[in-house]
Amino acid sequence: MKKQDFEAIEKRQKTIRNFSIIAHIDHGKSTLADRILEKTKSITAREMKAQLLDSMDLERERGITIKLNAVEIKYDHHDGNTYIFHLIDTPGHVDFTYEVSRSLAECEGALLVVDAAQGIEAQTLANVYLAIDNDLEIIPVINKIDLPSANVDKVKKDIEDVIGLDASEAVLASAKDGIGIEEILDQVIEKIPAPTGDPREPLKALIFDSIYDPYRGVIPSIRVVEGTISKGETIKMFSSGKTYEVTEVGVTTPKQVPRDYLGPGDVGYLVASIKNVENVRVGDTIINADNPAKKPLPGYRTLTPMVFCGLFPIDSNKYNDLREALERLKLNDAALTFEPENSQALGFGYRTGFLGMLHMEIIQERLEREFNIDLIATAPSVIYHVHLENGEMKVIDNPADMPEPQYIDKIEEPYVDATIMCPKEYVGNIMELCQSKRGHFKNMTYLGDVRVELSYDLPLLEIVYDFFDKLKSSSKGYASLDYEFKGYKESRLVKMDILINNEIVDALSVIVHRDFAFHRGKAITEKLKDIIPRHMFEVPIQAALNNKIIARSTVRAMRKNVLSKCYGGDVSRKKKLLEKQKKGKKRMKSVGSVEVPQEAFLSVLAIDEE
Amino acid sequence: MMESLYIHIPFCEKICTYCDFAKEVDSQVKKEKYVHALIKELSMHREKLSELQTIFIGGGTPSVLTISQLTTLGNALHKVIKMYNIKEFTIECNPSDINEEKALKLIDIGVNRISLGVQTFNDNHLNFLNRTHRLKDIESAVSILRKVGFRNISVDLLFGLPNQNMAELRDDVRRVLAMNVEHISYYNLILEEGTKLYNLVQNGEVDLLDNDIEANMYEWIITTLSKQQFDHYEISNFAKPNYEGYHNVLIWKDADYLGIGVGAHSKYNNTRYANTSRLKYYMESIENNAFPKYETYPYEPMRDYLLNGLRLREGIDLNSFKHRFGQSVFTFYPGFESLVNSGLLAIDNQRLYLTHQGLMYGNTIFGML
């Protein structure tokens, strides 16, 4: 590259602003991102779909962001310059802290969006601290000021007291009504520094995401930190050592737009006919093969999965499809782990590890929707430390692998540090809930006059089970939960087997606390009774501890299932009915001679114990 | 060549709670135009009708046609069909539509079998089903039909109505036997999407009957009617000797048939056809001299043969099957062996048929096809 080219790159670099938006679910982050895109005329009204940055159907339906997205925006400022913004969206849920830390590493600044009516939530706090850890410039934005219940002064005070940020220049905004958007953009330009990095240095670019395109291969999303990258160059993955020839570089606007080169501070994508998903590891550094940088950029800390479940294709022919799909998802979700699992009841599948329950749900839904694989998911489990009589310690993430009780000395289960924030009127309910979930009370702090922060030690197992749903229902949805792994603790745990038609179904086994076993057994057998369809014979359902039956229910025999009417003209419609019946069967798994529907395997969860 | 003709009359005075056939509330103008459209459609198929053996006018409610409309339709049929070859000519009637004049007109146009839509004799249930007739109308209808000379009356009944109990069912069975009719079709109420009943059930306002009670009812019906000389010749049909519904038996035995009118189905040229079920489109295409075909279905010879044939209690002839399809039915459907072993199917005299147990679990068997 020539001298004047480098000068042009450096000039351009001064106009770049990289920032993300930190907000709690529902506090209006995606709407704000949409408004910014509109305001900067990045997209025409016709292109505007509600919540554009959230491009996955699933995200749009649930109104949350799962994967991070990055777009380039051009903004003509009234100082006469045109600025280049890279807006990097971040997820707002506890399960996706990993994604958040990734997106924050790409930025020099962040907008902290706080709902003017609801104030700061636990999750927002966690992400703000992450941003502060990353030395980001934070611009507070108080959103939804149009709401009648908005209390701007209180939220400002919260920001100053709880986070310790100066809120005097906080932008007052209503993303919904387009208020305050221009001021946000002005502050981004004034307060957030332009990215550093020298275009003359050897290339260092961080892979922070990637997508798979069936025609163009794996397309990594990158941020260039040092040097430049352009079409025709040969690049090298620092950790795998694989080299590729770059066939295209560009930016996302949110459409992919090719560009001649990407320089320091640029956030974009590259195409290099990368076939193998495994060679593009998120967090890896891309360097120039002909002029290689000596050291990689600091990668990401990898999060370890805390929740495990078995995923089995209903159609056993789709086992390989499932593996490929999991590999694809792992491409930009390093927290996802999987290894083959074989179940007597469900056949071949994968024991899959997740960061938490939402992460698990999202992955399952994506497998079904994007990859068209009908799945059976077993109830989620945590990792147990099982100490045997002989002194050996086994790490068990699958109840089916639990050793026989006579060999077990003790079982330890993971505990978390749980932080719950709620309005003070729900404190009683929530303390009661935590008590019933084997929680140990640690601390209670008043945050201002109305909000309370509770801290508890809680078994992760209980959180995985139904704690979150119960928390929401006992606080009318106002409480928020954040948790962090604490350590292992001995508990009186037992494995409970479920028998269908007198056969143990390994995929239904669960680990429960001894004191809850009877109650849970009864609830599970009752629930299964309603889920398993009636067969031509009676189907007993039993719960057993150590081969002793502790609860039982019965699916009564179905005595008749005949199509009544079938005249000539009716043949086609009766066929349709039979097709429907067959389709329903496809979503079932045969366990012995019993057809068990998909949802049965999750029935051990979400049991209403009232 | 076509052996059977079906004519659909989509009009009804009121719409029944459970019905999902092509139907709409009648209006004189529409009926008049529709009869003329039917006649035109019939003439479009004129060359197919020379070997016809049965005619069936169904609905909807064909008996809502006026005397003059019936006359018009009858005359048209006589023009294109050799009526003296017709063995069975059935029309579906609502009991409340029957009067002496109409009954005589039916005889006049060649009808020799009445299918009477009774459904139940219980006025409360009739009211819930939104039927126009009541118990007294049924009794009067049958006596008028007999008086004008009908020798072949079939009664349609439903069991498994919401909230129906065994005592009410036994009462229905007792009453239908007392009427001394030749043929009974006894259907289990089926919940179909898009009906009023479906909404009621979805909203939790009405509960469907328990499967056990339905099974008890079905068994009671089979046992009781069989004791009274009714031959249980098809899953839902019972006939006095020699009074099986010939039109339907032909269809179950895979004969070709032509259906005319809105939503009517046909089978010929190894294809299944369905007319549009929208009255508006039907009328428009006939007006434009076009066939009102809406869709065609592939005819699946073996599957259809078994789906239909096994509904008949006599079942299918294993030799004819092999002759027609080249190999034994057990070669095509190995699962049938286990059905025979578990007593759902039986073989007797080279015929494969549903056992009593098999009758109860028809869908398990049909689902394998």
Side-chain angles (χ1 to χ4, degrees):
Chain A
M1 227 175 254
K2 288 189 232 101
K3 187 165 167 263
Q4 56 266 42
D5 288 336
F6 285 125
E7 279 164 7
I9 292 172
E10 280 173 326
K11 192 169 171 236
R12 195 172 156 277
Q13 193 176 333
K14 291 200 177 78
T15 66
I16 296 178
R17 298 291 182 273
N18 293 331
F19 65 100
S20 65
I21 306 178
I22 298 172
H24 188 73
I25 292 175
D26 293 343
H27 282 199
K29 181 185 56 178
S30 296
T31 317
L32 179 61
D34 292 346
R35 284 302 157 272
I36 292 175
L37 292 179
E38 267 182 351
K39 183 80 193 169
T40 54
K41 303 186 183 66
S42 301
I43 41 168
T44 64
R46 205 160 49 82
E47 288 171 324
M48 184 77 194
K49 252 190 213 174
Q51 304 204 353
L52 202 119
L53 269 181
D54 293 339
S55 56
M56 259 192 274
D57 284 351
L58 202 55
E59 295 184 336
R60 220 172 282 127
E61 275 168 33
R62 294 193 174 208
I64 56 170
T65 308
I66 301 159
K67 292 182 50 195
L68 48 113
N69 294 279
V71 292
E72 179 171 296
I73 301 164
K74 285 219 167 68
Y75 180 51
D76 296 322
H77 192 42
H78 48 69
D79 69 5
N81 293 318
T82 299
Y83 287 86
I84 299 161
F85 290 167
H86 294 129
L87 169 56
I88 296 155
D89 205 7
T90 59
H93 189 275
V94 60
D95 282 359
F96 299 104
T97 307
Y98 172 78
E99 300 258 348
V100 174
S101 66
R102 269 163 56 189
S103 50
L104 293 180
E106 304 319 310
C107 305
E108 281 78 37
L111 303 178
L112 165 64
V113 179
V114 184
D115 185 308
Q118 293 186 58
I120 300 171
E121 304 279 349
Q123 186 51 43
T124 319
L125 268 185
N127 289 343
V128 174
Y129 290 140
L130 268 174
I132 293 172
D133 284 351
N134 278 287
D135 285 333
L136 265 52
E137 184 64 41
I138 296 166
I139 300 172
V141 175
I142 300 175
N143 192 25
K144 303 196 187 181
I145 55 162
D146 56 305
L147 291 182
S149 53
N151 189 344
V152 172
D153 291 338
K154 196 194 143 295
V155 172
K156 273 190 176 177
K157 195 166 176 299
D158 271 4
I159 293 174
E160 294 188 343
D161 293 352
V162 181
I163 307 176
L165 284 173
D166 177 9
S168 63
E169 288 181 27
V171 183
L172 304 185
S174 163
K176 195 175 88 215
D177 296 341
I179 299 169
I181 308 303
E182 202 163 334
E183 197 188 336
I184 291 172
L185 297 175
D186 288 349
Q187 288 205 11
V188 165
I189 293 167
E190 286 157 25
K191 293 187 172 170
I192 297 177
T196 54
D198 188 340
R200 293 167 185 85
E201 288 289 310
L203 171 69
K204 279 186 189 177
L206 191 67
I207 305 174
F208 65 90
D209 195 5
S210 55
I211 56 166
Y212 184 84
D213 180 308
Y215 303 105
R216 306 202 291 170
V218 181
I219 303 179
S221 298
I222 57 169
R223 157 142 186 197
V224 179
V225 178
E226 303 274 2
T228 60
I229 182 168
S230 48
K231 184 177 163 179
E233 290 177 346
T234 306
I235 52 161
K236 187 171 171 182
M237 302 295 164
F238 198 95
S239 65
S240 68
K242 298 274 180 215
T243 58
Y244 301 96
E245 194 191 316
V246 178
T247 57
E248 183 180 317
V249 296
V251 296
T252 314
T253 71
K255 285 180 298 213
Q256 286 186 344
V257 180
R259 286 249 308 265
D260 295 340
Y261 64 86
L262 297 176
D266 270 328
V267 175
Y269 67 94
L270 74 85
V271 182
S273 313
I274 304 171
K275 300 260 159 32
N276 200 336
V277 162
E278 290 154 32
N279 295 329
V280 185
R281 202 172 51 76
V282 168
D284 198 4
T285 303
I286 293 177
I287 56 176
N288 188 308
D290 303 319
N291 180 19
K294 302 271 180 314
K295 274 170 53 184
L297 296 161
Y300 301 111
R301 81 191 151 107
T302 314
L303 292 190
T304 43
M306 300 223 274
V307 176
F308 289 78
C309 80
L311 293 181
F312 297 86
I314 291 185
D315 175 357
S316 49
N317 294 325
K318 290 217 165 171
Y319 175 74
N320 282 329
D321 295 1
L322 176 59
R323 195 198 63 237
E324 277 169 31
L326 285 167
E327 278 171 0
R328 291 272 177 81
L329 292 177
K330 183 156 175 71
L331 187 65
N332 43 34
D333 189 349
L336 178 70
T337 65
F338 54 96
E339 55 183 61
E341 176 181 0
N342 186 9
S343 151
Q344 282 165 12
L346 301 178
F348 290 100
Y350 286 94
R351 192 77 190 164
T352 315
F354 308 94
L355 295 174
M357 295 301 286
L358 183 65
H359 189 209
M360 181 175 100
E361 261 176 62
I362 298 284
I363 294 290
Q364 284 174 18
E365 274 195 62
R366 290 187 64 186
L367 287 169
E368 297 217 339
R369 284 197 204 187
E370 293 169 33
F371 298 93
N372 217 352
I373 303 172
D374 287 337
L375 287 173
I376 285 181
T378 61
S381 160
V382 298
I383 300 181
Y384 299 97
H385 289 171
V386 180
H387 296 265
L388 304 180
E389 291 285 0
N390 63 13
E392 192 190 336
M393 196 269 277
K394 283 196 150 194
V395 174
I396 302 280
D397 66 24
N398 185 348
D401 299 337
M402 191 59 87
E404 293 294 316
Q406 64 268 28
Y407 303 119
I408 298 176
D409 174 32
K410 60 175 183 180
I411 302 176
E412 292 176 322
E413 65 176 326
Y415 266 70
V416 297
D417 255 334
T419 308
I420 298 159
M421 281 201 209
C422 64
K424 65 179 174 196
E425 59 263 43
Y426 301 112
V427 166
N429 284 350
I430 289 171
M431 289 179 85
E432 207 174 295
L433 171 69
C434 291
Q435 221 67 46
S436 73
K437 295 294 179 189
R438 304 189 279 134
H440 301 294
F441 173 78
K442 287 197 309 195
N443 197 11
M444 178 160 94
T445 321
Y446 273 84
L447 308 168
D449 300 337
V450 279
R451 297 175 64 75
V452 175
E453 185 186 279
L454 287 164
S455 28
Y456 269 89
D457 282 346
L458 274 166
L460 179 61
L461 176 63
E462 299 296 339
I463 292 188
V464 161
Y465 182 48
D466 63 353
F467 184 80
F468 197 65
D469 291 342
K470 286 270 152 66
L471 181 68
K472 288 285 165 195
S473 59
S474 54
S475 68
K476 297 208 171 112
Y478 280 113
S480 66
L481 166 73
D482 191 18
Y483 59 85
E484 205 168 275
F485 175 69
K486 182 185 166 75
Y488 275 82
K489 224 167 144 179
E490 185 180 343
S491 283
R492 291 180 38 204
L493 298 172
V494 284
K495 175 180 157 195
M496 183 162 70
D497 289 319
I498 302 295
L499 293 82
I500 294 182
N501 209 18
N502 302 312
E503 276 179 55
I504 291 185
V505 181
D506 57 358
L508 283 172
S509 296
V510 282
I511 307 291
V512 290
H513 192 268
R514 187 75 188 76
D515 296 349
F516 297 169
F518 177 74
H519 196 69
R520 286 281 300 281
K522 211 168 135 57
I524 292 172
T525 49
E526 282 303 311
K527 180 100 179 262
L528 283 173
K529 185 190 79 180
D530 295 335
I531 292 176
I532 293 174
R534 293 168 75 168
H535 283 63
M536 284 161 59
F537 45 89
E538 191 177 280
V539 180
I541 297 166
Q542 296 155 311
L545 289 185
N546 200 9
N547 299 323
K548 217 178 95 198
I549 305 298
I550 56 163
R552 179 193 159 112
S553 69
T554 308
V555 181
R556 283 188 298 149
M558 171 187 61
R559 290 186 38 216
K560 166 177 164 303
N561 71 353
V562 66
L563 291 176
S564 190
K565 216 170 356 179
C566 194
Y567 283 147
D570 277 322
V571 168
S572 40
R573 96 158 124 190
K574 294 309 167 198
K575 278 184 185 170
K576 277 182 197 159
L577 244 164
L578 288 171
E579 292 315 320
K580 225 170 149 184
Q581 176 184 319
K582 278 186 189 167
K583 243 191 178 157
K585 267 216 165 123
K586 270 201 184 145
R587 295 190 72 82
M588 305 224 215
K589 204 85 187 179
S590 300
V591 174
S593 47
V594 180
E595 302 279 345
V596 182
Q598 208 182 10
E599 65 262 35
F601 295 92
L602 278 177
S603 65
V604 291
L605 283 180
I607 287 169
D608 212 311
E609 292 175 67
E610 264 65 70
Chain B
M1 267 305 146
M2 225 62 76
E3 289 167 277
S4 297
L5 171 67
Y6 175 80
I7 301 174
H8 191 75
I9 308 292
F11 305 105
C12 293
E13 200 178 313
K14 278 160 69 174
I15 302 301
C16 298
T17 315
Y18 54 92
C19 176
D20 79 326
F21 282 91
K23 79 272 168 176
E24 59 180 77
V25 174
D26 65 354
S27 88
Q28 283 313 330
V29 183
K30 276 190 186 168
K31 279 197 291 189
E32 197 70 32
K33 282 190 178 165
Y34 183 76
V35 168
H36 285 101
L38 278 179
I39 292 168
K40 193 162 165 193
E41 190 189 4
L42 194 62
S43 70
M44 288 154 73
H45 293 282
R46 178 188 278 266
E47 77 290 353
K48 302 192 187 82
L49 303 173
S50 58
E51 311 274 314
L52 220 52
Q53 297 192 49
T54 67
I55 302 172
F56 195 107
I57 307 183
T61 316
S63 54
V64 298
L65 294 183
T66 61
I67 304 261
S68 93
Q69 286 157 353
L70 284 169
T71 311
T72 314
L73 183 60
N75 288 344
L77 289 173
H78 282 257
K79 255 187 216 153
V80 292
I81 295 165
K82 295 176 209 146
M83 291 303 280
Y84 51 85
N85 277 342
I86 299 296
K87 297 202 177 72
E88 184 187 278
F89 183 173
T90 308
I91 185 166
E92 290 181 340
C93 293
N94 248 0
S96 49
D97 292 332
I98 302 287
N99 54 49
E100 208 168 315
E101 195 188 359
K102 202 174 261 186
L104 280 167
K105 176 46 74 185
L106 293 177
I107 295 224
D108 190 38
I109 65 172
V111 174
N112 60 12
R113 182 171 180 266
I114 299 289
S115 170
L116 203 59
V118 169
Q119 318 313 348
T120 170
F121 293 87
N122 181 302
D123 279 356
N124 289 331
H125 289 306
L126 285 170
N127 184 44
F128 173 77
L129 298 174
N130 205 26
R131 300 293 301 191
T132 53
H133 67 275
R134 294 294 177 265
L135 174 61
K136 61 174 174 34
D137 302 310
I138 303 168
E139 283 159 354
S140 119
V142 173
S143 74
I144 291 170
L145 291 169
R146 290 294 191 210
K147 186 177 161 201
V148 301
F150 279 104
R151 295 282 162 266
N152 189 352
I153 298 176
S154 175
V155 165
D156 275 3
L157 288 165
L158 284 172
F159 72 94
L161 306 172
N163 297 316
Q164 189 180 30
N165 59 38
M166 269 315 277
E168 289 166 343
L169 178 95
R170 283 198 292 267
D171 189 59
D172 274 356
V173 174
R174 191 178 55 76
R175 284 178 188 277
V176 76
L177 286 172
M179 290 197 328
N180 209 14
V181 291
E182 286 70 30
H183 186 277
I184 298 169
S185 299
Y186 224 133
Y187 302 115
N188 193 346
L189 180 81
I190 293 181
L191 187 64
E192 303 275 9
E193 278 178 44
T195 61
K196 188 182 171 200
L197 183 61
Y198 187 83
N199 288 333
L200 291 172
V201 171
Q202 290 289 306
N203 296 338
E205 292 168 55
V206 168
D207 286 329
L208 291 180
L209 267 201
D210 181 82
N211 183 273
D212 278 349
I213 301 178
E214 281 190 356
N216 290 342
M217 287 180 167
Y218 189 41
E219 288 191 325
W220 170 267
I221 291 163
I222 294 171
T223 322
T224 315
L225 294 187
S226 303
K227 275 190 207 148
Q228 302 291 324
Q229 295 171 340
F230 276 97
D231 176 28
H232 185 194
Y233 72 101
E234 192 263 355
I235 288 175
S236 307
N237 284 282
F238 303 82
K240 291 261 179 73
N242 302 319
Y243 280 99
E244 291 86 6
Y246 189 49
H247 177 85
N248 286 323
V249 169
L250 278 177
I251 288 167
W252 287 319
K253 291 191 172 173
D254 214 25
D256 280 356
Y257 56 92
L258 173 70
I260 64 165
V262 64
H265 288 235
S266 307
K267 192 212 96 184
Y268 52 89
N269 296 340
N270 288 330
T271 312
R272 296 190 173 280
Y273 304 91
N275 277 358
T276 172
S277 54
R278 298 281 298 275
L279 186 60
K280 185 168 169 271
Y281 300 147
Y282 174 79
M283 300 300 286
E284 279 170 10
S285 23
I286 298 290
E287 207 161 292
N288 297 320
N289 296 310
F291 289 112
K293 296 298 175 231
Y294 166 62
E295 15 177 9
T296 60
Y297 298 94
Y299 168 62
E300 304 168 282
M302 191 182 336
R303 190 163 174 231
D304 290 8
Y305 184 87
L306 293 170
L307 270 178
N308 283 324
L310 287 174
R311 293 191 67 88
L312 290 166
R313 295 303 308 277
E314 63 175 41
I316 58 151
D317 184 89
L318 289 172
N319 290 330
S320 329
F321 182 95
K322 200 168 174 181
H323 185 250
R324 179 159 172 198
F325 298 106
Q327 269 170 318
S328 149
V329 68
F330 296 102
T331 312
F332 291 109
Y333 296 102
F336 275 22
E337 303 258 12
S338 68
L339 294 178
V340 173
N341 293 334
S342 58
L344 295 183
L345 286 176
I347 305 173
D348 221 353
N349 240 339
Q350 281 305 305
R351 295 199 75 88
L352 179 74
Y353 59 91
L354 299 184
T355 60
H356 175 76
Q357 195 62 4
L359 265 183
M360 303 300 285
Y361 295 115
N363 282 6
T364 306
I365 297 159
F366 299 133
M368 292 175 71
L369 296 172

